[in-house]
């Protein structure tokens, strides 16, 4: 079985400051890793994913995440946040193989960007 | 671009009543998923379909819950004899299965309140 821990329920940060949202997972098998974002009154949207290859993955809007297998982590970072980045961010994993459809989510981190 | 749609967006019902939710996936997607999200938690997998076949049901899906996807198009999720513990956001997602970890596109959800 898999589980995902997002220790920070809310992260307040000032505009243009850097931010890191933490994600740790537990699994007895290899996993794929994802970050989803949920803006107010909208559905979850995939931000970025790690399937294989380079452990550093990037999104089109400046976020990046690095897969660290030894620390079982997949932290999300952005060097300079905007007001529009205010949203809820969910880390998720799915087991490699036939059950890769089954996303297991963390409890989410609310990013609050202040002017 | 027509995304995943869900109806109704909100449903208030009395304990013991039956409710039915509808999900319309992205038209060419062959997989459809249902998740449940309670306050302060991430989404939890309930069940999924590949075309019209329901391939897996979570233990969270009690006998009072039933999901269908006739003709492999839209899907319905019915809850019979609702209980207060059923109050949650019910999310639908769809994907086009190719090989691995296909991207799931989420709808805005149906918020159920059982009084």
């Amino acid at each position: 079985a898999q589980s995902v821990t997002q220790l920070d329920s809310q992260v307040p940060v000032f505009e243009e400051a850097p931010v890191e949202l933490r994600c740790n997972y537990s699994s007895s098998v290899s996993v794929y890793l994802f970050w989803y974002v949920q803006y107010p009154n909208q559905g979850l949207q995939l931000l970025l994913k790690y399937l294989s290859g380079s452990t550093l993955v990037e999104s089109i809007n400046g976020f990046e995440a690095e897969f660290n297998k030894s620390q079982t982590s997949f932290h999300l970072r952005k060097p300079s946040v905007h007001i529009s980045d205010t949203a809820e961010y969910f880390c998720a994993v799915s087991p490699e193989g036939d059950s890769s459809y089954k996303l297991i989510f963390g409890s989410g981190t609310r990013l609050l960007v202040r002017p | 671009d027509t995304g995943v749609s869900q109806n109704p967006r909100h449903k208030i019902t009395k304990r013991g009543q039956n409710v039915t939710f509808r999900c319309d996936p992205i038209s060419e997607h062959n997989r459809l998923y249902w998740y449940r999200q309670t306050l302060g938690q991430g989404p939890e997998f309930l069940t999924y379909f590949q075309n019209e076949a329901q391939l897996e049901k979570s233990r969270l899906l009690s006998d009072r819950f039933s999901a269908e996807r006739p003709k492999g198009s839209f899907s319905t999720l019915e809850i019979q004899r609702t209980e207060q513990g059923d109050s949650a956001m019910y999310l639908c997602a769809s994907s086009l299965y190719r090989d691995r970890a296909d991207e799931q596109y989420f709808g805005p959800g149906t918020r159920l309140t059982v009084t």
Side-chain angles (χ1 to χ4, degrees), chain B:
Chain B
D1 178 22
T2 303
V4 178
S5 61
Q6 293 187 246
N7 288 287
R9 294 291 306 274
H10 303 274
K11 178 72 176 177
I12 300 174
T13 191
K14 293 184 177 179
R15 187 175 54 189
Q17 298 295 304
N18 299 344
V19 295
T20 300
F21 310 139
R22 177 178 171 126
C23 171
D24 287 274
I26 294 172
S27 59
E28 66 268 24
H29 284 184
N30 53 5
R31 282 189 169 180
L32 187 146
Y33 314 80
W34 285 99
Y35 292 82
R36 181 173 68 186
Q37 184 177 17
T38 54
L39 202 60
Q41 299 299 317
E44 296 173 292
F45 172 84
L46 293 179
T47 187
Y48 95 102
F49 294 81
Q50 180 151 324
N51 300 312
E52 65 275 11
Q54 187 174 18
L55 297 186
E56 184 169 341
K57 292 166 58 174
S58 162
R59 289 172 297 175
L60 294 173
L61 218 61
S62 76
D63 292 344
R64 297 184 296 106
F65 288 71
S66 63
E68 295 182 345
R69 192 184 182 198
K71 303 179 183 178
S73 56
F74 71 93
S75 176
T76 58
L77 178 68
E78 181 184 15
I79 309 174
Q80 296 182 328
R81 305 181 302 282
T82 53
E83 302 173 357
Q84 287 188 322
D86 297 332
S87 295
M89 179 76 86
Y90 290 85
L91 301 173
C92 176
S94 70
S95 70
L96 179 62
Y97 176 66
R98 292 193 178 96
D99 50 8
R100 61 176 180 167
D102 37 307
E103 179 176 348
Q104 297 184 23
Y105 292 79
F106 283 80
T110 294
R111 182 171 296 283
L112 173 67
T113 302
V114 181
T115 61

Side-chain angles (χ1 to χ4, degrees), chain A residues 46-48 57-65 76-78:
Chain A
L46 181 65
L47 188 60
L48 46 76
V57 290
E58 299 177 350
S59 73
I60 58 173
N61 57 353
F63 282 94
E64 65 178 30
L76 182 70
R77 302 184 183 95
K78 190 170 186 180

Side-chain angles (χ1 to χ4, degrees), chain A residues 14-87:
Chain A
F14 287 107
E15 193 174 18
E16 298 183 4
V19 71
E20 178 180 84
L21 307 183
R22 295 180 294 167
C23 172
N24 289 86
Y25 70 92
S26 172
S27 177
S28 57
V29 300
S30 296
V31 295
Y32 302 126
L33 298 126
F34 308 83
W35 276 98
Y36 279 82
V37 58
Q38 187 172 33
Y39 299 103
N41 298 316
Q42 295 186 28
L44 288 158
Q45 302 171 30
L46 181 65
L47 188 60
L48 46 76
K49 64 183 177 183
Y50 171 79
L51 302 184
S52 64
S54 172
T55 56
L56 184 66
V57 290
E58 299 177 350
S59 73
I60 58 173
N61 57 353
F63 282 94
E64 65 178 30
E66 186 160 19
F67 170 48
N68 188 318
K69 189 172 183 178
S70 63
Q71 296 187 1
T72 60
S73 68
F74 191 55
H75 300 331
L76 182 70
R77 302 184 183 95
K78 190 170 186 180
S80 176
V81 294
H82 302 288
I83 297 286
S84 59
D85 293 323
T86 294

